[in-house]
């Protein structure tokens, strides 16, 4: 029919790491709906369902035009029955009743509030909800003993940590981190990673990768950087850990030397307000009784620092730039299509039984037989 001729037909490769996904999303209504269902599944310990919704949302994010008709989706990958039903509801009725009822549900609302606490994940939140704890007030009254991170998250900085961080704030923090690193190890380099490297204008935290061009010089760097920052009052909280090597789940066992040398610091930064701007938002007393930001000249910001030896830098850079789904898809591609194991430390070729070296992200994409996708197009 004539209508069919007008309709854009889309074609999208199966893996998100084969696609160029910019921040210019033409289907935000649909992707917001699917992302909400993904989030709800993840918070409910249904990771498989979560990933399915994330993949479906990512396909829609890669489309050059808004979807207006179900027929346009024919042949597209990763759109399962459930996701298609949600999309159809929205295209036909302007909303999905499943999304709306999830959004309104007490459980989802409580999960959002409780996992909004720094240091509280889905498991803890779920346990509290089963005890009838749905709000911060109820949590405080419950008499639960909270760990140090959670105390910082609930009592001190809840509102700050749940307010988006701007790129300008990220840059100011980057300058401070740069000064710290330069002071304790001249020649060491700081790179902004995470969502800001992909061009996002806001984020939930600021992520930095630190390395030194001479292998081994980065050892012991993190504690020094942290002391420098701490002694000058830049840190409200910090916890430095040896890399827990979570991505090991997806790969073979690796030499322990890799594991030992990767350090990470989860911190809460004290960011002074710009002198001219004062506070950015007008605020009344916060509902949960934390100290309102309007009455103090700083805000709290989550900052993640990672130190990598230069031999692993390209892998760390690629692994920490995201998006999370893009990373997951890269590892899936490596495993299923190339019989390789990719982590933030290394790329292992199972057929050749050896590690493949790389000094740039471009080389890693080449090893994987993928077209190079720059950070700004990894927003899957
Ligand atoms: P945001 O902060 O919400 O605006 O968005 P992103 O994309 O910056 O997300 P974030 O900060 O949670 O993580 C940045 C990237 O770092 C993410 O794409 C995956 C990676 N990443 C996060 N946590 C870990 C981890 O524990 N291990 C490894 N290898 N990578 C991680
Ligand atoms: Mg981030």
């Amino acid at each position: 029919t004539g209508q069919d001729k007008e309709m854009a037909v889309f074609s999208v490769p199966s893996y998100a790491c084969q696609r160029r996904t910019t921040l210019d999303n033409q289907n935000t209504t649909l992707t917001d709906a699917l992302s909400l269902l993904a989030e709800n599944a993840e918070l409910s310990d249904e990771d498989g369902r979560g990933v399915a919704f994330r993949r479906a949302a990512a396909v829609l994010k890669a489309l050059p035009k808004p979807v207006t008709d179900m027929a346009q989706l024919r042949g597209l990958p990763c759109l399962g029955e459930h996701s298609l039903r949600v999309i159809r509801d929205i295209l036909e009725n302007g909303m999905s009743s499943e999304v709306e009822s999830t959004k309104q549900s007490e459980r989802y609302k409580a999960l959002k509030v409780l996992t909004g606490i720094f240091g509280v994940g889905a498991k803890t939140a779920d346990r509290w909800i089963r005890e009838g704890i749905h709000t911060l007030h109820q949590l405080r009254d419950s008499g639960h003993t909270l760990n140090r991170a959670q105390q910082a998250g609930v009592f001190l900085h809840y509102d700050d940590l749940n307010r988006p961080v701007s790129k300008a704030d990220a840059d100011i923090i980057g300058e401070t981190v740069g000064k710290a690193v330069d002071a304790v190890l001249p020649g060491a380099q700081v790179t902004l990673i995470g969502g800001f490297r992909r061009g996002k204008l806001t984020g939930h935290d600021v992520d930095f990768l630190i390395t030194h061009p001479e292998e081994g010089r980065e050892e012991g760097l993190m504690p020094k950087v942290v002391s420098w920052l701490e002694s000058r009052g830049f840190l409200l909280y910090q916890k430095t850990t040896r890399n827990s090597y979570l991505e090991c789940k997806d790969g073979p066992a690796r030499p322990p030397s890799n594991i030992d040398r990767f350090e990470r610091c989860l911190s809460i930064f004290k960011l002074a307000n710009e002198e001219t701007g004062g506070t950015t938002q007008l605020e009344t007393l916060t509902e949960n009784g934390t100290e309102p930001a309007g009455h103090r000249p700083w805000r709290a910001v989550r900052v993640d620092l990672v130190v990598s030896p230069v031999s692993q830098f390209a892998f760390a850079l690629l692994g920490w730039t995201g998006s999370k789904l893009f990373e997951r898809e890269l590892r899936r591609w490596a495993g299923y299509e190339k019989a390789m194991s990719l982590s933030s430390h290394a790329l292992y070729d199972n057929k050749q039984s050896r590690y493949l070296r790389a000094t740039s992200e471009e080389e890693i994409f080449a090893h994987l037989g993928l077209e190079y996708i720059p950070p700004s197009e990894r927003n899957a």
Side-chain angles (χ1 to χ4, degrees), residues 5-224:
K5 273 189 202 136
E6 300 286 314
M7 216 159 56
V9 177
F10 305 121
S11 154
V12 166
S14 315
Y15 289 83
C17 55
Q18 298 172 289
R19 311 194 283 252
R20 298 179 181 277
T21 313
T22 65
L23 289 167
D24 183 22
N25 177 355
Q26 298 292 312
N27 287 284
T28 47
T29 307
L30 296 175
T31 59
D32 285 351
L34 293 169
S35 300
L36 185 135
L37 295 180
E39 184 190 24
N40 186 56
E42 288 157 0
L43 290 175
S44 305
D45 207 20
E46 296 173 31
D47 288 343
R49 250 158 50 90
V51 174
F53 286 130
R54 295 267 175 225
R55 286 208 187 111
V59 165
L60 301 183
K61 284 182 197 172
L63 302 180
K65 289 206 171 76
V67 174
T68 52
D69 192 299
M70 290 302 285
Q72 293 171 289
L73 302 179
R74 238 176 266 146
L76 290 184
C78 308
L79 297 178
E81 205 179 306
H82 197 156
S83 294
L84 285 171
R85 189 164 72 234
V86 173
I87 296 168
R88 180 179 295 112
D89 280 349
I90 294 173
L91 291 182
E92 287 175 3
N93 314 318
M95 58 92 105
S96 147
S97 49
E98 183 183 2
V99 172
E100 294 311 312
S101 68
T102 302
K103 217 188 289 185
Q104 300 306 323
S105 74
E106 287 307 314
R107 182 180 159 77
Y108 176 77
K109 284 192 277 187
L111 280 169
K112 286 289 280 182
V113 167
L114 297 176
T115 57
I117 301 169
F118 182 65
V120 175
K123 283 216 173 69
T124 304
D126 180 67
R127 184 157 40 83
W128 288 341
I129 291 169
R130 281 191 271 110
E131 292 170 29
I133 298 167
H134 286 207
T135 66
L136 297 186
H137 280 299
Q138 288 168 341
L139 177 60
R140 282 177 207 186
D141 296 344
S142 72
H144 274 291
T145 314
L146 303 179
N147 67 30
R148 206 164 55 89
Q150 293 164 350
Q151 283 179 25
V154 187
F155 295 107
L156 302 174
H157 313 300
Y158 188 85
D159 294 288
D160 274 5
L161 299 185
N162 283 285
R163 181 182 317 141
V165 185
S166 69
K167 176 65 165 58
D169 287 347
D171 288 336
I172 293 170
I173 292 169
E175 275 175 38
T176 304
V177 173
K179 261 187 219 163
V181 166
D182 201 52
V184 301
L185 181 63
Q189 291 158 6
V190 179
T191 308
L192 183 63
I193 47 175
F196 289 115
R197 182 159 183 258
R198 303 196 308 273
K200 280 179 66 180
L201 297 175
T202 61
H204 96 285
D205 68 358
V206 193
D207 312 287
F208 295 100
L209 178 60
I210 305 168
T211 193
H212 189 284
E214 225 177 288
E215 185 83 1
R217 291 288 298 280
E218 80 294 340
E219 275 182 63
L221 179 57
M222 188 70 92
K224 291 182 196 152

Side-chain angles (χ1 to χ4, degrees), residues 194-195 198 200 202-205 207 246-247 264 319-324 327 344:
R198 303 196 308 273
K200 280 179 66 180
T202 61
H204 96 285
D205 68 358
D207 312 287
L246 289 170
E247 59 272 24
R264 177 174 183 186
W320 286 83
T321 294
S323 69
K324 285 199 185 78
E327 302 295 339
S344 299

Side-chain angles (χ1 to χ4, degrees), residues 220-234:
L221 179 57
M222 188 70 92
K224 291 182 196 152
V225 171
V226 170
S227 315
W228 192 98
L229 291 167
E230 219 158 28
S231 66
R232 282 158 186 79
F234 284 113

